[in-house]
């Protein structure tokens, strides 16, 4: 199963997927390309180091270029990993729903930005991370899998986010493996 990973910044989830593939932990999934909408995204360095072809598309050229790039590389699953752009209905249709995202909260709680700050303010004792199918909303698509992470006394945003990030790095490869194994199909495919 050919994968494209889309990032906008640090790229630690991208790196964890690459490492998981090297260890044989994502089954038949194969990371073919990295695409960033930000030329200075740190994650690009890891693509270079691992000889994974990468492409930078500016926001201006995004809509006109993304589909042909995915088509050219025969991409079967798109993994959003810290990708800060809304996915268009055209792209969702082109991929027939085969787009997943990772979000650092227990969705449907705390979608959107500034997640950890809002979780801490809520005094909720748990947070976590979620991988979900991407629909036209922001962090609203059907949930595939989640991991719960406790909020501890003395947590600040940095402590909580790094505890959650460790779980993200395990959750995303495990979900990608299950999708590649055929255990999950996109939400609207199930209805057909
Ligand atoms: C992660 O917390 C992810 O859940 C969210 O954005 C962050 C990206 O981190 N969507 P990284 O770029 O993968 O390091």
């Amino acid at each position: 199963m050919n994968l494209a990973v889309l990032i906008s910044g640090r790229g630690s989830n991208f790196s964890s997927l690459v490492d998981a593939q090297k260890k044989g932990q994502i089954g038949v999934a194969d990371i073919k390309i990295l695409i960033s909408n930000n030329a200075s995204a740190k994650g690009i360095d890891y693509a270079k180091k691992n000889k994974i072809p990468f492409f930078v598309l500016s926001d201006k050229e995004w809509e006109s270029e993304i589909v042909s790039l995915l088509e050219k590389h025969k991409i079967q699953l798109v993994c959003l990993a810290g990708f800060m752009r809304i996915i268009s209905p055209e792209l969702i249709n082109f991929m027939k729903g085969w787009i997943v995202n990772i979000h650092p909260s227990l969705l449907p709680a705390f979608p959107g930005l500034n997640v950890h700050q809002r979780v801490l303010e809520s005094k909720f004792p748990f947070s976590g991370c979620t991988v979900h199918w991407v629909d036209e909303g922001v962090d609203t698509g059907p949930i595939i899998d989640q991991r719960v992470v406790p909020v501890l006394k003395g947590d600040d945003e940095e402590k909580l986010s790094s505890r959650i990030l460790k779980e993200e790095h395990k959750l995303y490869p495990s979900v990608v493996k299950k999708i590649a194994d055929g255990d999950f199909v996109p939400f609207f495919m199930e209805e057909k």
Side-chain angles (χ1 to χ4, degrees):
M1 170 173 258
N2 294 342
L3 263 57
V5 183
L6 272 53
I7 64 165
S8 296
R10 181 177 55 187
S12 70
N13 276 290
F14 163 66
S15 305
S16 80
L17 286 168
V18 172
D19 292 346
Q21 182 175 348
K22 283 196 229 165
K23 291 184 209 151
Q25 291 170 347
I26 57 173
V28 294
D30 183 13
I31 303 167
K32 290 289 183 192
I33 54 173
L34 174 74
I35 305 174
S36 173
N37 65 337
N38 170 14
S40 42
K42 262 197 78 193
I44 292 173
D45 296 341
Y46 210 65
K48 284 183 190 163
K49 207 174 151 194
N50 288 280
K51 301 195 168 41
I52 294 170
F54 67 93
F55 302 87
V56 177
L57 296 181
S58 69
D59 283 332
K60 237 176 156 187
E61 62 194 344
W62 185 265
E63 292 301 340
S64 59
E65 299 297 325
I66 183 71
V67 165
S68 52
L69 204 47
L70 298 176
E71 206 163 29
K72 188 171 164 210
H73 293 272
K74 300 188 168 48
I75 298 304
Q76 295 161 297
L77 178 69
V78 169
C79 297
L80 308 183
F83 183 64
M84 306 301 282
R85 222 193 118 100
I86 308 256
I87 297 299
S88 67
E90 290 77 21
L91 185 52
I92 295 173
N93 283 335
F94 171 74
M95 287 304 300
K96 298 193 168 66
W98 291 87
I99 307 178
V100 289
N101 180 43
I102 186 155
H103 181 78
S105 79
L106 289 177
L107 290 173
F110 303 103
L113 299 174
N114 304 318
V115 177
H116 307 300
Q117 181 198 332
R118 288 186 288 129
V119 168
L120 290 168
E121 281 166 8
S122 76
K123 308 274 183 225
F124 202 75
F126 294 101
S127 189
C129 47
T130 303
V131 177
H132 64 95
W133 296 111
V134 171
D135 66 7
E136 289 165 27
V138 175
D139 306 322
T140 51
I143 290 166
I144 303 172
D145 202 1
Q146 301 184 298
R147 292 223 176 173
V148 178
V149 173
V151 178
L152 301 178
K153 247 192 192 159
D155 265 357
D156 54 19
E157 278 181 60
E158 204 186 311
K159 286 180 190 160
L160 180 59
S161 68
S162 70
R163 189 179 312 119
I164 291 173
L165 199 61
K166 276 189 196 150
E167 293 304 315
E168 292 185 43
H169 294 164
K170 296 180 216 157
L171 177 67
Y172 217 175
S174 86
V175 171
V176 165
K177 180 178 188 310
K178 286 178 189 157
I179 293 174
D181 285 348
D183 292 348
F184 299 123
V185 294
F187 53 106
F188 60 70
M189 303 278 289
E190 282 172 333
E191 288 164 17
K192 279 186 184 160

